[in-house]
Amino acid sequence: MLVASGLVKHYGGVTALDGVGITLDAGEVHALVGENGAGKSTLVKIMSGVVRPEGGTVELDGAPVRFADARQAAAQGVAIVSQELMTYDDLTVLENLFPYGAPRRGGLVSTREMRRLAGPVLAELGLDPPPHARVGELPLADRQLLEISRALLQEPRVLILDEPTSALPRDAAARLAAVTRRLAERGLAVLYISHFLEEVMRVATRVTVLRDGRVVLAGEPVADVGLDSLVTAMLGQPARHPAPAAAAPRRPGGAAVALTGVTVPGRLGEVSLTAAGGEIVGVAGLQGSGHLAVLDVVCGRARPSSGSVRLPGGRSPRSARHAVTQGVAYISGDRKGRGLMVDKTLWENITSVSWLGQGRGGLMPRRSGLVDRSRGRLERLRVRGDVHARASNLSGGNQQKVVFAKWLDADPAVLALDDPTRGVDVGARSEVHDIVRGLAAEGKVVFIASSDLAELVELCHRVVVLQHGRIVGTLDGDRLTEPELSLAMNAGFAEPPKPSGGG
Ligand SMILES: Nc1ncnc2c1ncn2[C@@H]1O[C@H](COP(=O)(O)OP(=O)(O)OP(=O)(O)O)[C@@H](O)[C@H]1O
Ligand SMILES: [Mg+2]
């Protein structure tokens, strides 16, 4: 249905695509995978007309197409959900769903008609936002689902999803997978980009792998490609298996972070929790359970109305900025607006926070020193990009690695991580995990929330589970597994079984 062939695209000296082709057939979910910077989003942007290739063609039903923009693509039945979300944050949910013209009745925009059309699509994806809420106020996962709903409302024949589940909790990701398969059964052609390879194996019928701007595996049936050979194709070498958290050295006893009876109206009720230096503590819960509020009070983004938060230095965070000066790093997967200055160079981004902590009167470090230091950090995280490049020129996953590098540079005492590896490829993900384990081993305190439960299970020493703003239990040791965690988040903890003398 949609066929791209021989696509070539350079950005300055960088070859993003070097003769890439892919065929999307009606009725299939075709997965596209590859490391950060492999060229996946560039391919999508060319298909949707946002980026012009220097060579190659895109054909729809045998006729060459060159869309001027996403709107023209939509008019011809090609809907795209891009990796960096394109929601209009100041508009309402309903307004966001109909960007190319709202349905009208008698010449007037009809809210009722909008709701009638949107209702079933939102319901299928399990999204139930207040229709007149400003989209900027919604959680990242909801914004992601909203953008997918918008694409579906265009009733496309070709649907392109660039990392649609990178911020979705597991239940929402599962619903989206089911919807995606149903759409393919109805005859849509779906292109599905994801770094969650197990998810790819479940959802897709065929898979294409890009490495360094070239196709290294072309449209093989997923059933014929095992997970291991998929990873090998992506990385060009077999993956190394991550060490489980239990094996990580643990030296608790360093300065702790202590929450005592912390209440944040509407979000947290009398939460007490202490994390020692050296500990990696997960906070888990369904959306609205308050688990993210725990991170927010630690990093000064929310102030308790009662109770106290004590940081390792003995102070309480007074504001987000004050928390930074007290050594708290907040790393979020919601990098748009939170953490990256896209118009600045990589080295300026990376060295930007370490300044805040130093206060005034410190000696101005030499620029060449800062650049060298930044380069080292980029190499460690395997970022594909020059220290002097602007952050906006990086692929999504590489941008996320820069956010991480920036906070490492500040040498924090406490890390508050919220989906820190969102959009990061499997290789770099384990690198980030190693770094987090290393920081804990040095005695830092780590709090982490993640929509990816596997990440919590792999990394954490223990995970506290919240419901309705309260801690309902803790999982650690043998009980810290994905099924147990999922169960606890959804259903809470049953009373521990009483020992019984038989009978
Ligand atoms: N606007 C741009 N200016 C300069 N270089 C760019 C630009 N957009 C992309 N690139 C470069 O092109 C290459 C491919 O990027 P692309 O975004 O397609 O990767 P990707 O496979 O989508 O990665 P990710 O998994 O991180 O999203 C990268 O090296 C990237 O830095
Ligand atoms: Mg991308």
Side-chain angles (χ1 to χ4, degrees):
M1 192 182 269
L2 189 70
V3 181
S5 29
L7 296 178
V8 176
K9 177 71 195 172
H10 292 90
Y11 289 105
V14 175
T15 307
L17 295 180
D18 187 10
V20 167
I22 190 167
T23 303
L24 303 185
D25 293 332
E28 75 164 341
V29 180
H30 194 136
L32 180 64
V33 303
E35 281 186 289
N36 294 135
K40 304 178 297 294
S41 296
T42 303
L43 178 61
V44 168
K45 285 176 192 159
I46 291 174
M47 285 179 155
S48 62
V50 179
V51 163
R52 290 259 131 127
E54 288 130 33
T57 55
V58 180
E59 292 181 358
L60 184 62
D61 297 327
V65 285
R66 189 165 261 199
F67 305 123
D69 52 28
R71 179 180 191 144
Q72 217 181 69
Q76 299 220 32
V78 180
I80 293 125
V81 175
S82 58
Q83 181 175 11
E84 300 308 322
L85 296 181
M86 306 292 231
T87 46
Y88 305 98
D89 290 350
D90 292 331
L91 300 183
T92 66
V93 167
L94 280 179
E95 287 163 341
N96 262 274
L97 286 172
F98 298 93
Y100 304 135
R104 284 164 190 274
R105 279 206 170 163
L108 293 174
V109 169
S110 166
T111 307
R112 197 205 277 175
E113 186 67 2
M114 286 201 268
R115 285 189 193 225
R116 191 185 66 77
L117 292 169
V121 173
L122 296 180
E124 199 171 23
L125 288 170
L127 189 61
D128 185 24
H132 298 293
R134 306 255 151 234
V135 162
E137 291 157 15
L138 298 180
L140 184 60
D142 283 4
R143 279 184 276 145
Q144 199 155 30
L145 285 172
L146 197 66
E147 188 147 336
I148 295 164
S149 309
R150 177 162 74 200
L152 295 182
L153 279 166
Q154 294 165 17
E155 300 191 349
R157 298 164 57 222
V158 179
L159 177 63
I160 299 178
L161 301 171
D162 193 350
E163 300 195 31
T165 57
S166 64
L168 291 189
R170 135 190 313 241
D171 52 340
R175 263 197 303 274
L176 177 64
V179 170
T180 306
R181 293 200 78 123
R182 268 204 298 281
L183 291 170
E185 278 158 24
R186 279 182 224 154
L188 257 78
V190 183
L191 182 67
Y192 195 95
I193 298 178
S194 177
H195 288 293
F196 296 116
L197 301 180
E198 286 94 352
E199 174 182 286
V200 162
M201 303 295 286
R202 278 196 304 272
V203 178
T205 34
R206 289 200 294 159
V207 59
T208 289
V209 180
L210 285 183
R211 190 166 75 232
D212 294 336
R214 296 213 176 100
V215 174
V216 292
L217 195 96
E220 294 287 324
V222 167
D224 298 351
V225 185
L227 195 57
D228 285 346
S229 47
L230 197 58
V231 174
T232 308
M234 277 175 61
L235 305 180
Q237 61 187 39
R240 61 189 182 84
H241 289 281
R250 180 179 167 185
R251 256 197 275 145
V257 173
L259 278 64
T260 315
V262 170
T263 296
V264 178
R267 298 184 72 194
L268 280 185
E270 306 209 347
V271 163
S272 296
L273 172 67
T274 302
E279 257 195 313
I280 306 176
V281 177
V283 287
L286 300 179
Q287 196 166 298
S289 66
H291 64 300
L292 295 180
V294 172
L295 298 185
D296 281 348
V297 294
V298 170
C299 58
R301 292 156 38 86
R303 294 287 298 276
S305 59
S306 62
S308 71
V309 178
R310 258 174 61 103
L311 297 175
R315 303 270 183 83
S316 300
R318 290 197 298 270
S319 65
R321 200 185 166 91
H322 178 248
V324 173
T325 64
Q326 297 303 305
V328 180
Y330 171 63
I331 303 181
S332 165
D334 192 358
R335 54 191 169 264
K336 188 176 156 191
R338 276 193 202 164
L340 208 64
M341 301 179 287
V342 288
D343 293 330
K344 298 276 187 200
T345 62
L346 301 191
W347 76 264
E348 285 169 309
N349 269 285
I350 291 171
T351 53
S352 63
V353 231
S354 45
W355 282 111
L356 271 175
Q358 280 168 4
R360 269 161 254 165
L363 275 182
M364 174 96 150
R366 289 165 55 105
R367 180 184 145 138
S368 63
L370 295 178
V371 169
D372 284 347
R373 204 167 79 201
S374 302
R375 191 175 286 125
R377 300 211 181 269
L378 292 179
E379 277 166 14
R380 166 115 203 243
L381 287 164
R382 294 196 286 163
V383 175
R384 291 169 53 112
D386 188 80
V387 266
H388 296 292
R390 282 175 189 227
S392 58
N393 292 353
L394 290 190
S395 76
N398 282 318
Q399 287 186 2
Q400 183 61 28
K401 294 186 221 168
V402 171
V403 174
F404 200 81
K406 167 178 114 169
W407 287 103
L408 284 187
D409 196 65
D411 190 27
V414 178
L415 284 94
L417 311 175
D418 177 13
D419 261 343
T421 58
R422 176 176 171 231
V424 168
D425 66 46
V426 282
R429 181 179 182 272
S430 45
E431 185 66 33
V432 166
H433 286 180
D434 282 351
I435 291 173
V436 171
R437 288 191 192 101
L439 291 170
E442 285 169 22
K444 324 244 169 188
V445 181
V446 183
F447 290 98
I448 176 171
S450 180
S451 55
D452 177 5
L453 298 188
E455 177 157 66
L456 294 180
V457 170
E458 278 168 38
L459 263 183
C460 295
H461 296 113
R462 65 183 155 117
V463 176
V464 297
V465 179
L466 284 94
Q467 279 182 340
H468 309 298
R470 290 173 195 273
I471 292 179
V472 292
T474 301
L475 292 173
D476 59 8
D478 291 345
R479 291 195 60 203
L480 182 51
T481 62
E482 282 186 64
E484 287 266 0
L485 190 51
S486 176
L487 186 68
M489 285 163 59
N490 285 286
F493 290 78
E495 286 294 312
K498 296 213 169 66
S500 63

